[in-house]
Structure formats: C-alpha cells, structure tokens
Amino acid sequence: MDDRVQVTISGGVADVRMVRADKMNALDAAMFEALVATAKRLASEKGVRAVVLSGEGRAFCAGLDMGRFAAMKDKGGNGIAGGEARDLALRTDGIANFPQMAVWGWRQLPVPVIAAVHGVAFGGGFQLALGADMRFLSADARMSIMEIKWGLVPDMAGTPILASLVRDDILRELTYTGRIFSAQEALSYGLATRICDDPRAAAFEVAHEIAAKNPDAVRAAKRLLNGLSVDPALALLAESVEQQRLIGSDNQLEAVRANIDKRPPDFVDP
C-alpha cells in the first residue's frame, strides 16, 4: 500500500498522500486497493479527527490508468474500474461496490475530509475529490467528468454527490461533454470550496482547526449532513447498472479505440 498511498497522523490530522507521481497518481488496481484500505483503516483509527487527501507530483489524480483503456481496446471486458473483472452491480461494501468505495469510503468516514487539488482531477480522480467534504483547489487546477470520452458514465459514487452540489443543467452539460473546466469555474459551479495559493497548506490549517473542536459534535455534524443527500443506495446501484451495460459494448469500445488511435469515432446508432 505504501507505494500508492502513504499516511502519517499528527495532531489529530491524517495526511493521506497518493504517491504514484510518475503516473500523475492514476488509478490502477493497486491504487484502488490502497485507497479503499486506507479509508477503512482510518474509519477505526483512534485519535483521527480530520483528514487531508492529496496527490504527490504534478497532479492530484489524472483518473483511470491508461493501461486499463489500452487493454480494453484490444480485449474488451469489464475489469476497467479496478483491476480484475467484477460484477459492478454486486454490493461488496454495504451499499457500494468495490470501485465505488475508493470514493464513497471518504464520504462514509466519520470525520471530515479535505481534498487538496492541484494539477488535474479528471474522471475517477475528479470523483475521488468529490468524496471529500471540502475541495481546496490551486488556481491552475483543472477538472473534468471525463468518462464520456471513453464511452462511459461516472460510476465511482460521483452521481449522488454531484446531485447535491451542482445545478442540474450544468451537471448534465459537464457529464454529456466531458469538458475540462478551470478552478474558477469549479468554484462558480459549487465544486470547489475555495481557491488557494497552496491548497495543501490551507487544507491542513482547516483540518487542524476542525481537530481542535469537540470530536463528538464534528462526527454528529457529518452524519447529519450526509443524511441530507439523495438516497445513496439507489444512486450507487443505478450508476453501477448503467456502467455495466456500457463496458465492453460496441460503441464503448469504439470510443476507446478512437481515442487511442487519435481519430474520430464511428458510432452505431442505438
């Protein structure tokens, strides 16, 4: 796990750092495993009162590892979201499947999580940032709901979280187009909490402020605020069912091949 995610705890704050800098912290099978394991560990770790989630190197997280798409181009299959082939509709962790837990695990964590985002947060990396309670962005950060580029839908718990953050028409535009948007746009859409010169330093400042408050009250507040969202069980299952229908289908594979071959896609009408 240490070769993907490193954790240090000091003053009640857990510093969770993705350390796959050479790949812009892209989500391969090992990164999925590490993120899920880390969230589960911190859920029961005594003394943790807040978490800062960040990425080492040039980016927060560039999204799903390109190797997954390259393999899909040639072989198809449904192992795209976290390693080996999985039945995405199977609920392996409460109301979520395993890939969703890489994001939903932070939403479920009983203490507040702050994502410090720099560089890019694309696709699964964007959804990972959504799992946090707050998102602090650098001024040059860029984000995208990029799944449509690969003929897919967001399926890592993004949909129930986005529904509580973004105006419906903006959410639809970003989802249908996969457009890359700026930190300033993210702030205006409700997807960024603040823009900072140093988002990681700002995140730690707020995390330590939270850690100094009554931990029982902070945990109670998170439970209450989590309860205000749309029914997460139905939303998580719905995105899994839709994604499973898409993965490996003719048009989805054509999207992957066209992107990798750098040519316009030739889709078949439904």
Side-chain angles (χ1 to χ4, degrees):
M1 188 173 77
D2 286 350
D3 66 339
R4 291 293 185 270
V5 175
Q6 294 178 358
V7 181
T8 58
I9 301 171
S10 177
V13 176
D15 175 5
V16 178
R17 189 93 161 143
M18 291 177 284
V19 292
R20 198 184 183 210
D22 60 320
K23 298 293 186 181
M24 298 175 72
N25 300 310
L27 299 165
D28 63 353
M31 183 67 85
F32 274 97
E33 295 279 355
L35 287 167
V36 173
T38 300
K40 288 182 176 181
R41 169 196 159 188
L42 292 177
S44 58
E45 186 91 15
K46 290 186 181 299
V48 173
R49 297 186 176 187
V51 174
V52 173
L53 175 62
S54 65
E56 191 175 79
R58 295 182 293 126
F60 175 75
C61 178
L64 201 65
D65 188 277
M66 279 296 296
R68 306 302 311 163
F69 292 115
M72 174 166 279
K73 175 190 174 186
D74 298 323
K75 296 183 290 187
N78 71 340
I80 195 168
E84 71 277 8
R86 297 177 185 273
D87 178 355
L88 296 181
L90 184 64
R91 305 294 88 182
T92 58
D93 294 85
I95 63 172
N97 65 26
F98 180 80
Q100 287 170 331
M101 280 302 293
V103 172
W104 196 249
W106 305 103
R107 183 61 67 162
Q108 278 192 321
L109 206 67
V111 300
V113 180
I114 306 172
V117 180
H118 72 291
V120 302
F122 289 164
F126 173 62
Q127 291 184 80
L128 178 58
L130 292 175
D133 296 71
M134 293 164 269
R135 284 155 293 283
F136 291 3
L137 273 59
S138 63
D140 62 351
R142 294 175 298 148
M143 294 177 147
S144 171
I145 306 174
M146 197 167 272
E147 283 77 8
I148 194 66
K149 175 180 178 180
W150 303 102
L152 299 168
V153 294
D155 73 327
M156 288 172 54
T159 48
I161 301 172
L162 282 164
S164 68
L165 294 174
V166 187
R167 207 174 74 193
D168 181 75
D169 60 328
I170 291 175
L171 175 55
R172 289 169 185 263
E173 186 247 327
L174 296 176
T175 303
Y176 297 158
T177 67
R179 178 173 63 83
I180 296 171
F181 52 95
S182 68
Q184 191 60 52
E185 287 174 299
L187 187 66
S188 69
Y189 298 155
L191 293 168
T193 308
R194 62 173 75 166
I195 298 174
C196 316
D197 291 336
D198 186 340
R200 194 161 179 263
F204 276 108
E205 182 179 348
V206 173
H208 282 290
E209 181 180 353
I210 292 169
K213 301 296 193 292
N214 176 0
D216 293 333
V218 171
R219 287 174 178 239
K222 182 157 183 176
R223 287 194 297 271
L224 287 170
L225 295 171
N226 279 355
L228 297 177
S229 60
V230 298
D231 185 334
L234 293 178
L236 292 177
L237 180 58
E239 66 178 26
S240 298
V241 169
E242 294 292 352
Q243 191 79 311
Q244 190 139 285
R245 287 173 180 157
L246 288 170
I247 292 175
S249 63
D250 290 343
N251 277 342
Q252 192 267 319
L253 291 177
E254 172 60 12
V256 171
R257 290 168 183 147
N259 271 289
I260 291 175
D261 295 343
K262 300 187 185 307
R263 60 171 173 79
D266 182 17
F267 294 125
V268 177
D269 285 334

